[in-house]
């Protein structure tokens, strides 16, 4: 079906599109997950099970243990698609290339949808759990306690060091974090008060997504119940597959001028069994 745009759109389109670049949602998933862009439908687990070490008096003997493996695979199971048809006169009479603008916008929207999908799967599949004090992140007095408790969930693992921890919150949570940042430590407070920077807390990278990212919904083949939740964990211990990234097609349609644009991508996600406890589902109280 053709898109309908008003005559005013032809005059104002360039201004609105330029502004829109600054208003797009930040993407997080690739910063906290390992990304596989191969063409494989199924990806095997990169982690083996832990072995059991026996501590005994000096005897020089041992009993071999049976070794078992558990199948743990990532399967690409969902696709993300958006398509529009732009009439030739719509593109011709606009102040700039409408095809290029819509392709860019559609690509951004697919990327944001994939990000939301991965974040909700992170929260859904992680077996670590934590409930915040009443008020959650929005209460400044809670922030140090929350981060201290979260870090303790993964402390002691090699993967948790060198800045590899993260927390994903919504923009509404930042009210308490910013207030806490302005009163904790000279250097930290100076950054918050002067520059508004709250990028890390107790070695945890803070990523902020827009309100409404954590949802109760069916996302493709996945059903998630994450409203009122946030997620914390160690980077790189989960994987999402995005074979060949995003694809763009332009095609002529019989009976219509112009071109149809379709932007699509395939995605699979896996929180690997041996590392499930390193992803923590946060419940806001």
């Amino acid at each position: 079906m053709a898109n309908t745009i008003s005559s005013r759109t032809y005059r104002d389109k360039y201004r609105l599109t330029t502004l829109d670049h600054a208003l797009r949602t930040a993407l997080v998933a690739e910063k906290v997950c390992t990304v596989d862009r191969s063409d494989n439908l199924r990806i095997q687990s990169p982690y083996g099970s832990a072995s059991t070490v026996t501590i005994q008096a000096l005897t020089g003997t041992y009993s071999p243990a049976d070794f078992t493996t558990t199948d743990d695979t990532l399967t690409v199971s969902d696709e993300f698609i958006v398509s529009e048809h732009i009439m030739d006169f719509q593109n011709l009479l606009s102040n700039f290339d409408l095809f290029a603008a819509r392709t860019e916008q559609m690509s951004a929207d697919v990327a944001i949808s994939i990000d939301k999908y991965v974040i909700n799967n992170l929260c859904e599949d992680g077996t670590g759990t934590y409930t915040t004090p009443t008020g959650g992140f929005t209460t400044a007095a809670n922030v140090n306690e929350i981060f201290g408790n979260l870090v303790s969930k993964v402390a002691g693992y090699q993967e948790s060091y060198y800045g590899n921890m993260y927390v994903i919150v919504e923009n509404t949570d930042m009210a308490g974090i910013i207030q806490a940042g302005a009163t904790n430590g000279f250097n930290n407070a100076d950054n918050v008060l002067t520059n508004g920077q709250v990028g890390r807390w107790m070695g945890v990278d803070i990523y902020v997504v827009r309100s409404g990212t954590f949802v109760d919904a069916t996302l493709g083949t996945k059903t998630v119940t994450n409203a009122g939740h946030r997620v914390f964990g160690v980077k790189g211990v989960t994987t999402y597959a995005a074979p060949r990234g995003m694809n763009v097609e332009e095609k002529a349609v019989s009976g219509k001028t112009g071109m149809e644009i379709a932007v699509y991508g395939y995605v699979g996600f896996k929180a690997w069994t041996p590392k499930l406890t390193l992803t923590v589902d946060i419940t806001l109280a």
Side-chain angles (χ1 to χ4, degrees), residues 41-117:
L41 172 65
R42 190 173 67 177
I43 300 169
Q44 301 295 332
S45 173
Y47 301 108
S49 58
S51 56
T52 301
V53 177
T54 300
I55 302 176
Q56 63 185 23
L58 292 171
T59 61
T61 61
Y62 58 90
S63 298
D66 292 332
F67 175 74
T68 59
T69 59
T70 302
D71 288 339
D72 199 16
T73 59
L74 181 161
T75 302
V76 177
S77 55
D78 292 290
E79 61 184 4
F80 294 70
I81 303 177
V82 59
S83 65
E84 295 174 351
H85 189 99
I86 300 175
M87 297 296 189
D88 182 69
F89 74 87
Q90 292 176 316
N91 185 55
L92 181 64
L93 299 177
S94 293
N95 286 333
F96 73 111
D97 189 343
L98 192 56
F99 282 104
R102 293 311 300 165
T103 300
E104 184 179 3
Q105 180 63 53
M106 292 160 67
S107 298
D109 290 340
V110 170
I112 291 168
S113 295
I114 292 173
D115 208 55
K116 181 175 181 178
Y117 172 92

Side-chain angles (χ1 to χ4, degrees), residues 4 15 49 55 72 76 85 91 107 113 122 129 147-148 172 183 192 206 217-218 223 240 243 259 279 285:
T4 302
R15 174 177 59 82
S49 58
I55 302 176
D72 199 16
V76 177
H85 189 99
N91 185 55
S107 298
S113 295
L122 271 172
T129 59
F147 276 86
T172 52
T183 58
V192 175
I206 302 172
T218 297
T223 299
Y240 90 82
M259 298 288 285
T279 301

Side-chain angles (χ1 to χ4, degrees), residues 167-187:
V167 66
I168 304 173
V169 298
E170 293 187 353
N171 59 288
T172 52
D173 299 312
M174 290 302 294
I177 296 174
I178 291 172
Q179 291 178 52
T183 58
N184 281 273
F186 177 79
N187 289 335

Side-chain angles (χ1 to χ4, degrees), residues 119-186:
I119 290 171
N120 275 279
N121 275 279
L122 271 172
C123 191
E124 191 72 20
D125 294 349
T127 59
T129 59
Y130 175 68
T131 301
T132 69
T134 302
F137 291 96
T138 60
T139 300
N142 292 341
V143 173
N144 281 340
E145 179 181 350
I146 291 172
F147 276 86
N149 288 334
L150 288 174
V151 170
S152 73
K153 295 280 186 178
V154 301
Y157 286 103
Q158 179 179 338
E159 293 94 335
S160 69
Y161 296 108
Y162 309 114
N164 283 338
M165 294 176 289
Y166 70 89
V167 66
I168 304 173
V169 298
E170 293 187 353
N171 59 288
T172 52
D173 299 312
M174 290 302 294
I177 296 174
I178 291 172
Q179 291 178 52
T183 58
N184 281 273
F186 177 79

